[in-house]
Amino acid sequence: MEDLQSALSGRGLTVSTHPEKGRCLVSIRDFSPGDVIISQEPYASVPNNSSVDVKCDGCFTSSNLKKCSACQAVWYCGSMCQVIPKTATDNYNLVEALVSHMPDIDENQLVLYAQMANLVNLILQWPDINIKEIAENFSKLACNAHTICDSELRPLGTGLYPVVSIINHSCLPNSVLVFEGNEAVVRAMEPIPKGTEVLISYIETAGSTATRLKALKEQYLFTCTCSRCMKVGLDDDIQESAILEGYRCKDDKCNGFLLRDADDNSFRCQQCGLLRKKEEIDQITSEVKLLSDKASTSLSSGNYPEACAMYKMIEKLQLKLRHSLSVNLMRTRETLLKILMELKYWREALTYCKLTIPVYQRIYPIVHPLLGLQHYTSGKLEWLLGDTEDAIKSFAKAVDILHITHGRNTPFMKDLLIKLEEARAEAAYKLSPYEG
């Protein structure tokens, strides 16, 4: 712990203890938006390898790979990626200090961890192996591991970062965790004064308070008490939840949200008072569920035209039921955007990208990587379609956000800045007099 505190103090950080949350990371200097608070290579990581997409187990590259000569199971690009780090911030003592939440785990999960530990013992056959410790490590992994993503937040693998895991969760975080290769990088999203706890979000925060609390309890075994979650059950929170995940007024001219009426057989608009029968809502919900299952199957099999048609039917049904800022509707449109890009239907893809941005602006902070990346996608589509002036605006909005969350000097940001300058040069060329 002394070595860790010494290493962190040089970065303007210290480990403290909170009476309710346990260990936490606290700043001992001021951080500005975009500053790297801490970065860490994984103590252990594994890529999402498939039979057609094999990656180095160390750095996740796909180039110059060779199988490990010892186990013949994993791949490495070189000897450097096979070395296990042993520094003050990357050693097994820090893994041992991670919280396992074993007392909070249900019996079925405990049995599973025990079976997995016995399997490890069977494979390794070490004389002094500790089965209980292995089972506990599986629990620590489940509670503390992070999904490693690329610059556009596409999952690449899973990693364990013992120091980053000290950082606690908030649904209103002041920092963001991104990855450069498999290195975890935590950057400040807003000014963090000296003495402030560093906070990131463990989950997707686009959802009602009840949804977020459920996800955190199930996956991380704690109840969030951040300022956003403390509003659960209050009038503002009820309204926000109804807009994000509930139902809208049946009158298309009314923008009101619905709450269950006293008779329990209908929902009443909180703006105009119009009733909507529960039976009607259940019918549409069932149709959406049935179509979603079929659409997911088509998408998984790569039948993009069929999947596209089905998701458009789902969108049509959801528009009858959901508010325009509904997370459910947004997810359907995100899926349609991905499908349309696979089909190379660029103009229609841009339409769906634009439909999602107002929802992103409503549910995410001003500085959020997902919002920045959606502006980036919009810019790429606009530029491809020849809408250069619009592309410049979208790229500029993306830069304003992503230079904070992703860092200005990363390869991803350099590429984005080049795109912005090229688009500006193209627009200037179009406006200049041409003699030929």
Coordinates of all heavy atoms in Angstrom, one line a residue, residues 283-316:
Q283 N -50.8 -5.2 -26.1 CA -50.9 -5.7 -27.4 C -49.7 -5.3 -28.3 O -49.0 -6.1 -28.9 CB -52.2 -5.3 -28.1 CG -52.3 -5.8 -29.6 CD -52.3 -7.3 -29.7 OE1 -52.8 -8.0 -28.8 NE2 -51.7 -7.8 -30.8
I284 N -49.4 -3.9 -28.3 CA -48.3 -3.4 -29.1 C -47.0 -3.9 -28.5 O -46.1 -4.3 -29.3 CB -48.4 -1.8 -29.0 CG1 -49.6 -1.3 -29.7 CG2 -47.1 -1.3 -29.8 CD1 -49.8 0.2 -29.6
T285 N -46.9 -4.0 -27.2 CA -45.6 -4.5 -26.6 C -45.3 -5.9 -27.0 O -44.2 -6.3 -27.3 CB -45.7 -4.4 -25.1 OG1 -46.0 -3.0 -24.7 CG2 -44.4 -4.8 -24.4
S286 N -46.4 -6.7 -27.1 CA -46.2 -8.1 -27.5 C -45.8 -8.2 -28.9 O -44.9 -9.1 -29.3 CB -47.5 -8.9 -27.3 OG -47.9 -8.9 -25.9
E287 N -46.4 -7.4 -29.8 CA -46.0 -7.4 -31.2 C -44.5 -7.0 -31.4 O -43.8 -7.6 -32.2 CB -46.9 -6.4 -32.0 CG -48.3 -6.9 -32.1 CD -49.2 -5.9 -32.9 OE1 -48.7 -5.3 -33.9 OE2 -50.4 -5.7 -32.5
V288 N -44.1 -6.0 -30.6 CA -42.7 -5.5 -30.7 C -41.8 -6.7 -30.2 O -40.7 -6.9 -30.8 CB -42.5 -4.3 -29.8 CG1 -41.0 -4.0 -29.6 CG2 -43.2 -3.1 -30.4
K289 N -42.1 -7.3 -29.1 CA -41.3 -8.5 -28.6 C -41.2 -9.6 -29.7 O -40.1 -10.1 -29.9 CB -41.9 -9.0 -27.3 CG -41.2 -10.2 -26.7 CD -39.9 -9.9 -26.2 CE -39.2 -11.0 -25.4 NZ -39.0 -12.3 -26.2
L290 N -42.3 -9.9 -30.3 CA -42.3 -11.0 -31.3 C -41.4 -10.6 -32.5 O -40.6 -11.4 -32.9 CB -43.7 -11.3 -31.7 CG -43.9 -12.5 -32.7 CD1 -43.5 -13.8 -32.0 CD2 -45.3 -12.5 -33.2
L291 N -41.6 -9.4 -32.9 CA -40.8 -8.9 -34.1 C -39.3 -8.8 -33.7 O -38.4 -9.1 -34.6 CB -41.3 -7.6 -34.6 CG -42.4 -7.6 -35.6 CD1 -43.0 -6.2 -35.8 CD2 -41.9 -8.1 -36.9
S292 N -39.0 -8.4 -32.5 CA -37.6 -8.2 -32.1 C -36.9 -9.5 -32.1 O -35.7 -9.5 -32.5 CB -37.6 -7.5 -30.7 OG -38.1 -6.2 -30.7
D293 N -37.5 -10.6 -31.6 CA -36.9 -11.9 -31.6 C -36.6 -12.3 -33.0 O -35.5 -12.8 -33.3 CB -37.8 -12.9 -30.9 CG -38.0 -12.6 -29.4 OD1 -37.1 -11.9 -28.9 OD2 -38.9 -13.2 -28.9
K294 N -37.5 -12.1 -34.0 CA -37.3 -12.5 -35.4 C -36.2 -11.6 -36.0 O -35.3 -12.1 -36.7 CB -38.6 -12.4 -36.1 CG -39.6 -13.4 -35.7 CD -40.9 -13.2 -36.6 CE -42.0 -14.2 -36.2 NZ -43.2 -14.0 -37.0
A295 N -36.2 -10.3 -35.7 CA -35.2 -9.4 -36.3 C -33.8 -9.7 -35.8 O -32.9 -9.7 -36.6 CB -35.6 -8.0 -35.9
S296 N -33.7 -10.0 -34.5 CA -32.4 -10.4 -33.9 C -31.8 -11.6 -34.6 O -30.6 -11.7 -34.9 CB -32.6 -10.6 -32.4 OG -31.3 -10.9 -31.9
T297 N -32.7 -12.6 -34.9 CA -32.2 -13.8 -35.6 C -31.7 -13.5 -37.0 O -30.7 -14.0 -37.4 CB -33.4 -14.8 -35.6 OG1 -33.8 -15.2 -34.3 CG2 -32.9 -16.1 -36.3
S298 N -32.5 -12.7 -37.7 CA -32.1 -12.3 -39.1 C -30.8 -11.5 -39.0 O -29.9 -11.7 -39.9 CB -33.2 -11.4 -39.7 OG -34.4 -12.1 -39.8
L299 N -30.6 -10.6 -38.1 CA -29.4 -9.9 -37.9 C -28.2 -10.8 -37.6 O -27.1 -10.6 -38.2 CB -29.6 -8.8 -36.8 CG -28.4 -7.8 -36.7 CD1 -28.2 -7.0 -38.0 CD2 -28.8 -6.8 -35.6
S300 N -28.4 -11.7 -36.7 CA -27.3 -12.6 -36.3 C -26.9 -13.5 -37.5 O -25.7 -13.8 -37.6 CB -27.8 -13.5 -35.2 OG -28.1 -12.8 -34.0
S301 N -27.8 -13.8 -38.4 CA -27.5 -14.6 -39.5 C -26.9 -13.8 -40.7 O -26.5 -14.4 -41.8 CB -28.7 -15.4 -40.0 OG -29.7 -14.5 -40.4
G302 N -26.9 -12.5 -40.6 CA -26.3 -11.6 -41.6 C -27.3 -11.3 -42.7 O -26.9 -10.8 -43.8
N303 N -28.6 -11.6 -42.5 CA -29.6 -11.2 -43.5 C -30.0 -9.7 -43.2 O -31.1 -9.5 -42.6 CB -30.8 -12.1 -43.4 CG -31.8 -12.0 -44.5 OD1 -31.8 -11.0 -45.2 ND2 -32.6 -13.0 -44.7
Y304 N -29.2 -8.8 -43.7 CA -29.4 -7.4 -43.3 C -30.7 -6.8 -44.0 O -31.4 -6.0 -43.3 CB -28.2 -6.6 -43.8 CG -27.0 -6.9 -42.9 CD1 -25.8 -7.5 -43.6 CD2 -26.9 -6.7 -41.6 CE1 -24.7 -7.9 -42.8 CE2 -25.8 -7.0 -40.8 CZ -24.7 -7.6 -41.5 OH -23.6 -8.0 -40.7
P305 N -31.0 -7.1 -45.2 CA -32.3 -6.6 -45.8 C -33.5 -7.0 -45.0 O -34.4 -6.2 -44.7 CB -32.3 -7.2 -47.2 CG -30.9 -7.4 -47.5 CD -30.2 -7.9 -46.3
E306 N -33.6 -8.3 -44.6 CA -34.7 -8.8 -43.8 C -34.7 -8.1 -42.4 O -35.8 -7.7 -42.0 CB -34.6 -10.3 -43.7 CG -35.9 -10.9 -43.0 CD -35.8 -12.4 -43.0 OE1 -35.2 -13.0 -42.0 OE2 -36.3 -13.0 -43.9
A307 N -33.6 -8.0 -41.8 CA -33.5 -7.4 -40.5 C -33.8 -5.9 -40.6 O -34.5 -5.4 -39.7 CB -32.0 -7.6 -40.0
C308 N -33.4 -5.3 -41.6 CA -33.8 -3.8 -41.8 C -35.3 -3.7 -41.9 O -35.8 -2.8 -41.2 CB -33.1 -3.3 -43.0 SG -33.3 -1.5 -43.3
A309 N -35.9 -4.5 -42.6 CA -37.4 -4.4 -42.8 C -38.1 -4.6 -41.5 O -39.1 -3.9 -41.1 CB -37.9 -5.4 -43.9
M310 N -37.6 -5.6 -40.7 CA -38.3 -5.9 -39.4 C -38.1 -4.8 -38.4 O -39.0 -4.4 -37.7 CB -37.7 -7.2 -38.9 CG -38.2 -8.4 -39.7 SD -37.7 -10.0 -38.8 CE -38.4 -11.2 -39.9
Y311 N -36.8 -4.3 -38.3 CA -36.6 -3.2 -37.4 C -37.3 -1.9 -37.7 O -37.7 -1.1 -36.8 CB -35.1 -2.9 -37.3 CG -34.4 -3.9 -36.3 CD1 -33.5 -4.8 -36.8 CD2 -34.6 -3.8 -34.9 CE1 -32.9 -5.7 -36.0 CE2 -34.0 -4.7 -34.1 CZ -33.1 -5.7 -34.6 OH -32.5 -6.6 -33.7
K312 N -37.6 -1.7 -39.0 CA -38.5 -0.6 -39.4 C -39.9 -0.8 -38.9 O -40.6 0.2 -38.5 CB -38.4 -0.3 -40.9 CG -37.1 0.3 -41.3 CD -37.1 0.6 -42.8 CE -35.8 1.3 -43.3 NZ -35.8 1.5 -44.7
M313 N -40.4 -2.0 -39.0 CA -41.7 -2.3 -38.5 C -41.7 -2.1 -36.9 O -42.7 -1.6 -36.4 CB -42.1 -3.8 -38.8 CG -42.3 -4.0 -40.3 SD -42.4 -5.8 -40.7 CE -43.9 -6.3 -39.9
I314 N -40.7 -2.5 -36.3 CA -40.6 -2.3 -34.8 C -40.6 -0.8 -34.5 O -41.3 -0.4 -33.6 CB -39.3 -2.9 -34.3 CG1 -39.4 -4.5 -34.4 CG2 -39.0 -2.5 -32.8 CD1 -38.0 -5.2 -34.1
E315 N -39.8 0.0 -35.3 CA -39.8 1.4 -35.1 C -41.2 2.0 -35.2 O -41.6 2.9 -34.5 CB -38.9 2.1 -36.1 CG -38.8 3.6 -36.0 CD -38.2 4.2 -37.2 OE1 -38.2 3.6 -38.3 OE2 -37.6 5.4 -37.0
K316 N -42.0 1.6 -36.3 CA -43.3 2.1 -36.5 C -44.2 1.8 -35.3 O -45.0 2.6 -34.9 CB -43.8 1.4 -37.8 CG -45.2 2.0 -38.3 CD -45.6 1.4 -39.6 CE -46.9 2.0 -40.1 NZ -47.3 1.4 -41.4

